[in-house]
Structure formats: structure tokens, C-alpha cells
Amino acid sequence: MQGAAELIEEANSENIPVAVITNQSGIDRGMFGWRDFAGVTERIDALLAVKGAVIDAVAACPFHPDFTSDFSARHAEWRKPAPRMIEAIATGLNADRARSWMIGNSGSDMEAAEAAGLAGGILIGGDQENRPGTFVVIASALDKIVTRGWLRPRSAAQARNSRAQRRR
């Protein structure tokens, strides 16, 4: 997505943790395995690194009620829209959920953000019909995040200094 690396790098420069939280039922469906998922994640990390951006954590749920044998409540609590993945990542990163935001492409992302007690969610692309009305919906979220002051814009020199400090 255009602008995503820059947004992640800006969050990194402000010491704001960035996490990917994703349902990956293709694993339980047998379409691909954890090794394949890890390969894609590593490739994304490499592409982001070129732009000076780092993802701090990744959580993936392979469970799906139609494809996981013996699917139960213990599986369901990890699958978005349930909040368990967000809660686990927030705890691991020592992140303040009340000041955290979800950027997602489906109604279940927004529901998970609300259930986890996040400050809000931003729905981009994807499932525009299935969104709760309690969240901010922004068509061009990556631009609006900066222009609305959710992350302060920084000069190129400030960004370079922040990257240099993180590399030390």
C-alpha cells in the first residue's frame, strides 16, 4: 500500500510500536503453511527495511470455524473480531491500548479494535459495508493520520536523526 512504509517509519521514529494482527485461515485450510507465512512476513520486513521501517510484532490466527477441526471458544478468542491477539500483542509491547489505533480493511478489524479497548480504528479499502459506526472511517487513512495530527510530521533531517539513533 502506497505510503504504508513511510507511516510505519514515522511511528518508529516516535517510538510508537507497530504490529500486524491478521487472520490467516489459509493455514488451517491447507492452502499454505506457517513456513510460507513466515516467508511472506520476512519479505515484507525486507521491503520495509529499505525505507527504514520496522514492524515490532506479528500475530496470526490460523483458526476458522469452517476449517479448524473441533473449533471451539478457545480458538474463537484468537480470531478477529475477538480481541485476544490485540491484547496479547499490546501486553508484549507494553502498549497503551487506550492510545492505540487499528488500521484495517474489514469490519472485523474495527470490531476487534473496539473489543480490545483501542482508541479507534481506521477502515481502508476492503469491507466498507460491514463496519461499525463508532469508528472513524477515512478513505485515505495514511494521509489523514498525519494531517489530523495523530502522528506529528517531521522534517527529513529529524527522520534521519531518529533512524540513526535507532540503529545505535
Side-chain angles (χ1 to χ4, degrees), residues 16-22 80-123 132 134-136 150:
I16 298 169
V18 176
V20 172
I21 298 168
T22 178
K80 292 182 297 175
R84 189 72 179 108
M85 281 194 291
I86 296 171
E87 293 166 350
I89 289 290
T91 298
L93 293 174
N94 197 28
D96 181 355
R97 286 186 281 159
R99 295 180 60 209
S100 299
W101 286 76
M102 166 76 82
I103 300 174
N105 66 346
S106 72
S108 70
D109 292 332
M110 301 302 99
E111 292 172 47
E114 183 174 38
L118 300 190
I122 300 166
L123 186 64
T134 58
F135 285 94
V136 178
W150 295 336

Side-chain angles (χ1 to χ4, degrees), residues 71-167:
F71 187 83
S72 67
R74 72 179 175 85
H75 296 102
E77 72 178 327
W78 289 99
R79 183 174 173 77
K80 292 182 297 175
R84 189 72 179 108
M85 281 194 291
I86 296 171
E87 293 166 350
I89 289 290
T91 298
L93 293 174
N94 197 28
D96 181 355
R97 286 186 281 159
R99 295 180 60 209
S100 299
W101 286 76
M102 166 76 82
I103 300 174
N105 66 346
S106 72
S108 70
D109 292 332
M110 301 302 99
E111 292 172 47
E114 183 174 38
L118 300 190
I122 300 166
L123 186 64
I124 54 174
D127 187 6
Q128 296 289 325
E129 296 299 316
N130 184 25
R131 65 178 188 275
T134 58
F135 285 94
V136 178
V137 178
I138 300 174
S140 181
L142 299 175
D143 292 333
K144 299 287 185 183
I145 286 171
V146 173
T147 61
R148 290 188 179 200
W150 295 336
L151 289 176
R152 288 185 321 231
R154 297 171 63 101
S155 71
Q158 288 172 316
R160 280 192 302 277
N161 288 339
S162 294
R163 280 193 298 271
Q165 287 174 356
R166 274 199 321 276
R167 288 184 184 129

